[in-house]
Amino acid sequence: MSKLKPILPKAKAREAMEEIKPAFASQEAVTEANRCLYCYDAPCIMACPTGIDIPGFIKKIAYDNVKGAARTILTANILGNSCARVCPTKVLCEGACVLEDRDHDPIDIGRLQRYATDRVLETGEQVVAVSPLKSGKKVALIGGGPASLGCAAELVRLGHEAVVFEKKEHPGGLNTYGIAYYKMKPEISLAEVEMIEKLGVEFRCGIEVGTDLAVDKILQEFDAVFLGIGLGQGRRLAIPGEDLPEVADAIDFIAEIHSQPLETVKLGKNVVVLGCGNTAIDAVSQAKRLGAESATILYRRSEEEMSAYGFEYALAKSERCEFMFQVAPVEILETNGHVSGIRLAKTDSNAQPITGSEFTVNCDHVIKALGQTKMEKTLLEWFPKLKLGAGGKIEVDPLTQETSIPGVYAGGDAANGGAEVVNAVAEGKRAALHLHQTFTGEAVTPPAQTTRYGIEPPFGSGFYEPVRVSG
Ligand SMILES: Cc1cc2nc3c(=O)[nH]c(=O)nc-3n(C[C@H](O)[C@H](O)[C@H](O)COP(=O)(O)OP(=O)(O)OC[C@H]3O[C@@H](n4cnc5c(N)ncnc54)[C@H](O)[C@@H]3O)c2cc1C
Ligand code: SF4
């Protein structure tokens, strides 16, 4: 039994986890929209993996056509509302905005996108058009995260059937269970799922493919399969003390925050988080917000080498989270079967422990944010001939998302190794466009593709017009 306890009362816990980016009021949104230069060949569009027509929707906001703006956004990216909240806009669309080069603040694209899409999510109004023509083709999507949602929504829009199999109680994947609460509440993800369901996507939740339902059965029933199963469990440390009751994985810690009332989330007074990627930052920030006296990141490399975005790091520091660089965990210490500290070694410039440098830090809660494992074993059990690439990622044709097995597609973290929500949606959508072409012979121009490392041509400028869609 763990000794962790809830710390803050209900009202304080809720206040502490309020969304960090407040919504625009109408007049603010119109004023911000009017700053846009409506650039020709707009770089912000090129920087969006889903190729949203950003100046197009901003212009609609400037003319108070909020529903039209939402339609432009959601037609290109069905998770446009959650992306408005969780996308690293500073390195994507806003990072590419020409105003930044002219010593002005870039357009606040994320908040404008949220302003437009909040309205339709709140009212439940259906603004995205669905083809009245039906092909009779059926696609099974394994996993209910952003990749499958992006693919399934596009398939039904183009006139095909889409059935999503999700092992958890609710669909949405990490959007529902993994994003930092102060960026997006799980209700937002579930409202998006509801909107996608209204488009015509069928969800079968609580079904773990491979355990509750054989893949062969799916292959018999469906014309094609999309694999959107994300990544596996958090990595293990393999040091003494790892199985003590106050040691948790960051993904499980964050999932707990999303699945129960905030005031019941248990944590220690002195929390340490191992790792320094974006997940580690999310975990440390949430521990501090929920009342930990100290919340400290321990990282074996230097400040310059951490993989967390600079703006996430700055946010955590502003919340008085602490950071120790060049230290590696050696042992998690216990007193009477409970965590009482962690023994660390200083590391050299190659992140190797320095002999004789060990010291102890007091803590009562250890959260591991060491990355997630891949799902190679499961995938090879399902498809023994499936080609896997470096590090166990599913190998796909980058233009179509088709795997080495004809009719089997993949996207999102399982195929890209772990990127952002917007990449998962873009990849799902690309698979749907190729499936559509395979089913009907009609081609649809795919969206531009961007990675966290920059824009990857060669799709040309951004947004696309789906064919055969009316409404
Ligand atoms: C802690 C954390 C914070 C993040 N924060 C951000 C952020 O702020 N912004 C951002 O853009 N990105 C963020 N990301 C990344 C983003 O969440 C992922 O890139 C995105 O969710 C990937 O979508 P996906 O559909 O590929 O996988 P997932 O979201 O992981 O969804 C996969 C789904 O498949 C289901 N599944 C797996 N196996 C089976 C099976 N056998 N049968 C049925 N269902 C199955 C799972 O239950 C899950 O629901 C974060 C990731 C983590 C871990
Ligand atoms: S780059 Fe900036 S100014 Fe130009 S269209 Fe995009 S948001 Fe507007």
Side-chain angles (χ1 to χ4, degrees), residues 86 142-147 165-168 173-174 178-179 183 207-209 228-230 251 254 279 282 372 375 382 412-413 419-421 424:
V86 310
I142 308 181
F165 294 92
E166 169 55 52
K167 68 179 177 186
K168 296 213 167 117
L174 288 166
I179 299 286
K183 285 187 200 161
I207 296 179
E208 180 164 3
V209 173
I229 57 171
I251 308 272
I254 297 169
T279 300
D282 285 355
Q372 291 167 267
M375 305 277 268
W382 293 355
D413 285 359
E420 315 292 344
V421 171

Side-chain angles (χ1 to χ4, degrees), residues 33 35-45 54-56 58 93-94 96-100 106-109:
R35 285 204 309 123
C36 178
L37 304 177
Y38 310 115
C39 304
Y40 177 75
D41 249 352
C44 54
I45 301 179
I54 292 166
I58 292 180
C93 52
E94 291 169 20
C97 177
V98 295
L99 285 176
E100 182 137 86
I107 300 292
D108 202 339
I109 300 169

Side-chain angles (χ1 to χ4, degrees), residues 71 74-75 77-79 124-132 134 149-162 191-203 469-470:
R71 181 181 215 174
L74 298 174
T75 300
N77 178 347
I78 199 69
L79 299 190
E125 214 171 340
Q126 195 60 272
V127 293
V128 174
V130 173
S131 170
K134 301 298 169 201
L149 295 178
C151 184
E154 197 65 23
L155 284 168
V156 296
R157 275 175 34 70
L158 292 165
H160 316 292
E161 275 182 61
E192 282 184 324
V193 167
E194 203 180 313
M195 173 182 70
I196 292 167
E197 198 166 18
K198 279 195 199 153
L199 286 179
V201 173
E202 183 185 334
F203 289 94
V469 172
S470 66

Side-chain angles (χ1 to χ4, degrees), residues 94-148:
E94 291 169 20
C97 177
V98 295
L99 285 176
E100 182 137 86
D101 299 336
R102 298 177 187 197
D103 286 339
H104 292 287
D105 284 338
I107 300 292
D108 202 339
I109 300 169
R111 275 170 89 198
L112 286 174
Q113 185 166 315
R114 174 179 165 182
Y115 171 75
T117 52
D118 266 358
R119 293 267 185 104
V120 295
L121 225 60
E122 277 159 20
T123 58
E125 214 171 340
Q126 195 60 272
V127 293
V128 174
V130 173
S131 170
L133 303 177
K134 301 298 169 201
S135 70
K137 298 289 183 186
K138 253 172 109 172
V139 179
L141 300 104
I142 308 181
S148 290

